[in-house]
């Protein structure tokens, strides 16, 4: 019988002939017997005991198939089952200098990431990543949103020029997309509520624990909704994802020592404050920002950064919407709030326990004149946005949407500090390989 380790650990197989394919995760040789911890292709492990005479050349990460009888032994790790092996078939004897171990430096582990992703921790993280993508897609499908895709090669910026990656494109110069939003906006006229999941690229020059230069961006856009509708969509989506991860990824969460009771506190509605109130709170705490190399108290009009977002949410167990940012802090497409001079109809969602921004969203400027003025004000090249302005020329409607960074959501769900650990092959200012 050839099954994976997780399924093999079952009373009904005790005393039966079984086999397992995998890699040697750990090896402990005694005079007579050798204990192998075999890791299967999905990262679960089972102990195998074999005569030491058979194991002379075995090394960590050698791939093999083991045949034997399943038995129970309290001392066997992870469940008390083990295989008493009677033969092995070797696929490959690994070179005996496998570079991944417990005490390597973070840099070495990143240099050897193609091997380091075999660690069980990375396997658990990748499985949860897969579940998050699955339940995102499920929520949107169940709620009648249509999945679309947008190009990644683009002419115009969405989030401002400072984080654009240039791409030589035949004789032309183009960019890697920072966001699919403008294209999603074009698609709501014929598809209604749409969503997409695409990589976005940002030339983030600062090295932080929450920025990658390539990240997976989940974006949604729909016609005729209000800001309140939009916040509800995000609340429902995120609580749905978390509820199902807690239900279906218990094993992985436990392996990663994630406190599940914290995640279980995520319920709708999320907390909400205005941007103005957020600044008040920070001012009362005498929160300082560095502005032109000078440290000063935060003031109305300043953007919220990593530290200020941490302070706003470090003692809360629920995510927090910050609503109504000054227009000058937001990109050109944010709809102006006509009832509040200078403010935009926009909200960012901050994850609890200090994790900071995970989504940004709001209504989009749907008036042609206003949008043209904003494009000019930002100094953007109007010809690159002419197609986008057509959306305001032909049947413009109130609409809005949001973007969620999958890796940001993962940092919070998995309680991982460094965003690099949420992806198998992270891209940062200093790293594009492997
Ligand atoms: P921040 O202020 O944290 O740099 P942002 O406001 O520039 O983020 P948005 O343009 O609002 O980001 O992008 C929407 C979402 O995409 C963010 O809320 C975040 O979840 C995610 N995101 C943005 N930039 C990055 C990045 N460099 N790495 C990972 N995720 C990102
Ligand atoms: Mg944002």
């Amino acid at each position: 019988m050839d099954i994976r380790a997780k399924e093999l650990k079952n009373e009904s197989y005790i005393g039966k002939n079984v086999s397992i394919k995998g890699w040697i995760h750990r090896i402990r040789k005694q005079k007579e017997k050798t204990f192998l911890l075999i890791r299967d292709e999905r990262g679960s492990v089972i102990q195998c005991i074999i005569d030491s005479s058979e194991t002379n050349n075995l090394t960590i990460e050698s791939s093999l198939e083991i045949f034997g009888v399943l038995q129970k032994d309290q001392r066997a790790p992870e469940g008390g089952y083990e295989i008493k092996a009677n033969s092995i078939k070797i696929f490959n004897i690994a070179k005996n200098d496998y570079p991944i171990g417990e005490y390597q430096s973070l840099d070495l582990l990143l240099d050897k990431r193609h091997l380091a992703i075999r660690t069980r921790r990375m396997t658990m993280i990748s499985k949860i990543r897969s579940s998050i993508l699955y339940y995102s897609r499920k929520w949107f499908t169940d709620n009648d949103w249509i999945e679309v895709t947008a190009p990644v090669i683009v002419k115009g910026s969405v989030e401002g020029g400072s984080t654009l990656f240039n791409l030589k494109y035949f004789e032309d110069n183009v960019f890697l997309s920072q966001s699919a939003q403008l294209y999603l906006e074009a698609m709501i006229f014929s598809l209604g509520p749409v969503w997409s999941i695409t990589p976005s690229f940002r030339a983030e020059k600062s090295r932080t624990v929450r920025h990658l230069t390539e990240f997976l961006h989940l974006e949604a856009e729909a016609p005729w909704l209000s800001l309140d509708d939009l916040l509800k969509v995000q609340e429902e989506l995120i609580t749905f994802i978390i509820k199902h991860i807690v239900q279906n990824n218990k094993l992985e969460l436990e392996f990663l020592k994630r406190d599940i009771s914290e995640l279980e506190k995520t319920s709708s509605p999320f907390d909400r404050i205005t941007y103005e109130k957020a600044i008040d709170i920070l001012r009362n705490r005498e929160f300082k920002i560095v502005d032109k190399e000078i440290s000063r108290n935060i003031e109305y009009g300043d953007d919220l950064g990593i530290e200020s977002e941490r302070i706003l949410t470090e003692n809360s167990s629920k995510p927090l919407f910050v609503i109504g940012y000054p227009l000058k802090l937001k990109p050109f497409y944010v709809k102006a709030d006509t009832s509040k001079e200078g403010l935009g109809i926009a909200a960012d969602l901050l994850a609890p326990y200090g994790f900071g921004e995970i989504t940004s969203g709001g209504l989009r400027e749907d008036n042609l004149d206003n949008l043209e003025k904003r494009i000019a004000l930002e100094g953007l090249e109007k010809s690159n946005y002419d197609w986008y302005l057509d959306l305001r020329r032909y049947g413009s409607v109130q609409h809005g949407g949001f973007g969620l960074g999958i890796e940001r959501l993962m940092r919070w769900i998995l309680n991982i500090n460094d965003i690099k650990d949420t992806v198998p092959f992270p891209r940062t200012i200093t790293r594009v390989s492997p």
Side-chain angles (χ1 to χ4, degrees):
M1 211 174 352
D2 182 16
I3 49 178
R4 292 180 182 142
K6 196 167 124 196
E7 288 83 44
L8 209 54
K9 294 179 184 176
N10 187 313
E11 288 283 339
S12 64
Y13 296 129
I14 291 179
K16 301 243 164 76
N17 281 323
V18 295
S19 66
I20 180 108
K21 290 197 191 88
W23 293 264
I24 298 179
H25 194 63
R26 254 184 256 139
I27 186 162
R28 182 159 56 89
K29 274 190 195 173
Q30 293 179 352
K31 204 157 173 244
E32 309 270 296
K33 287 190 285 186
T34 295
F35 296 84
L36 302 176
L37 194 63
I38 300 299
R39 189 187 74 245
D40 74 7
E41 64 201 14
R42 284 283 157 81
S44 31
V45 293
I46 188 161
Q47 173 165 290
C48 300
I49 307 169
I50 188 161
D51 277 355
S52 289
S53 57
E54 299 248 12
T55 62
N56 280 341
N57 57 349
L58 293 185
T59 49
I60 293 281
E61 288 303 310
S62 291
S63 50
L64 73 183
E65 183 168 12
I66 298 206
F67 303 85
V69 176
L70 189 77
Q71 56 187 32
K72 241 187 155 172
D73 188 319
Q74 287 299 317
R75 292 164 298 181
E78 301 201 21
Y81 290 89
E82 62 186 16
I83 297 174
K84 182 152 180 14
N86 39 50
S87 67
I88 55 178
K89 177 173 145 192
I90 288 171
F91 301 117
N92 174 262
I93 295 291
K95 292 198 183 311
N96 64 7
D97 57 355
Y98 187 65
I100 309 299
E102 264 171 59
Y103 303 107
Q104 263 79 0
S105 73
L106 284 177
D107 269 340
L108 181 119
L109 290 174
L110 284 167
D111 290 342
K112 299 283 180 192
R113 190 67 158 199
H114 50 291
L115 300 175
I117 54 171
R118 298 184 192 182
T119 57
R120 297 182 70 208
R121 177 168 186 269
M122 279 310 295
T123 301
M124 303 298 163
I125 293 171
S126 296
K127 283 189 190 173
I128 292 183
R129 184 177 171 92
S130 162
S131 287
I132 289 174
L133 296 177
Y134 173 79
Y135 288 111
S136 307
R137 180 164 279 122
K138 180 155 171 54
W139 187 87
F140 279 111
T141 312
D142 289 355
N143 287 280
D144 201 22
W145 292 64
I146 291 187
E147 183 169 1
V148 295
T149 53
V152 157
I153 298 173
V154 298
K155 276 297 273 184
S157 82
V158 188
E159 303 297 327
S162 66
T163 63
L164 278 174
F165 277 114
N166 287 292
L167 178 70
K168 194 170 167 350
Y169 190 72
F170 305 104
E171 299 309 308
D172 204 353
N173 212 340
V174 298
F175 306 115
L176 291 176
S177 167
Q178 298 166 308
S179 159
Q181 181 196 315
L182 308 191
Y183 293 95
L184 263 50
E185 286 185 60
M187 290 191 254
I188 61 163
F189 293 82
S190 51
L191 292 170
V194 292
W195 75 287
S196 66
I197 189 142
T198 23
S200 281
F201 302 87
R202 309 268 174 105
E204 306 279 2
K205 280 162 202 114
S206 54
R207 237 190 283 185
T208 77
V209 292
R210 70 179 209 188
H211 289 96
L212 294 167
T213 51
E214 175 177 349
F215 66 96
L216 203 54
H217 209 171
L218 184 161
E219 292 175 90
E221 198 72 31
W224 290 300
L225 38 60
S226 65
L227 184 69
D228 202 50
D229 296 335
L230 196 60
L231 304 192
K232 286 198 180 112
V233 169
Q234 297 176 58
E235 285 168 345
E236 279 187 32
L237 168 70
I238 289 169
T239 48
F240 179 87
I241 294 172
I242 290 186
K243 187 177 112 201
H244 285 89
I245 297 293
V246 166
Q247 271 172 16
N248 299 303
N249 289 90
K250 278 212 161 60
L251 256 169
E252 291 79 19
L253 291 170
E254 276 167 19
F255 183 93
L256 297 168
K257 301 196 170 65
R258 179 61 167 120
D259 180 353
I260 292 174
S261 69
E262 263 184 32
L263 291 174
E264 283 170 339
K265 291 184 189 134
T266 315
S267 62
S268 304
F270 296 166
D271 295 332
R272 295 168 192 215
I273 55 170
T274 61
Y275 162 84
E276 196 175 352
K277 174 88 182 145
I279 295 291
D280 274 352
I281 294 172
L282 293 164
R283 278 167 62 93
N284 287 335
R285 301 268 306 254
E286 297 188 1
F287 179 72
K288 301 263 191 298
I289 60 165
V290 179
D291 181 17
K292 298 185 187 95
E293 291 177 21
I294 295 167
S295 169
R296 62 161 171 83
N297 283 335
I298 195 164
E299 283 165 21
Y300 187 92
D302 289 327
D303 207 354
L304 302 179
I306 294 184
E307 226 359 66
S308 46
E309 291 178 5
R310 191 182 63 71
I311 290 175
L312 291 170
T313 59
E314 64 189 344
N315 296 318
S316 56
S317 54
K318 270 190 183 192
L320 170 71
F321 281 114
V322 181
I323 300 171
Y325 283 81
L327 277 177
K328 74 172 180 56
L329 296 178
K330 288 286 171 192
F332 71 95
Y333 53 72
V334 171
K335 186 176 166 78
D337 188 342
T338 45
S339 67
K340 291 176 195 134
E341 180 77 38
L343 291 191
I345 307 177
D348 282 4
L349 181 62
L350 313 185
Y353 306 104
F355 279 102
E357 179 181 330
I358 49 173
T359 82
S360 250
L363 301 192
R364 320 305 190 186
E365 185 52 74
D366 47 61
N367 175 285
L368 180 63
D369 290 342
N370 293 348
L371 194 56
E372 281 180 330
K373 277 185 206 134
R374 296 274 295 284
I375 287 174
L377 209 67
E378 301 266 328
L380 298 169
E381 174 56 52
K382 193 174 162 218
S383 63
N384 289 337
Y385 298 91
D386 204 44
W387 70 266
Y388 182 66
L389 291 167
D390 268 355
L391 309 179
R392 275 65 176 168
R393 291 185 186 112
Y394 304 105
S396 188
V397 290
Q398 175 167 317
H399 66 284
F402 67 93
L404 173 153
I406 292 293
E407 293 81 8
R408 294 275 181 98
L409 180 64
M410 287 180 70
R411 277 181 77 229
W412 162 39
I413 293 183
L414 298 176
N415 192 18
I416 285 177
N417 183 44
D418 188 344
I419 198 165
K420 290 200 286 301
D421 284 353
T422 63
V423 276
F425 297 103
R427 296 292 180 253
T428 66
I429 185 167
T430 52
R431 190 166 288 281
V432 281
S433 173

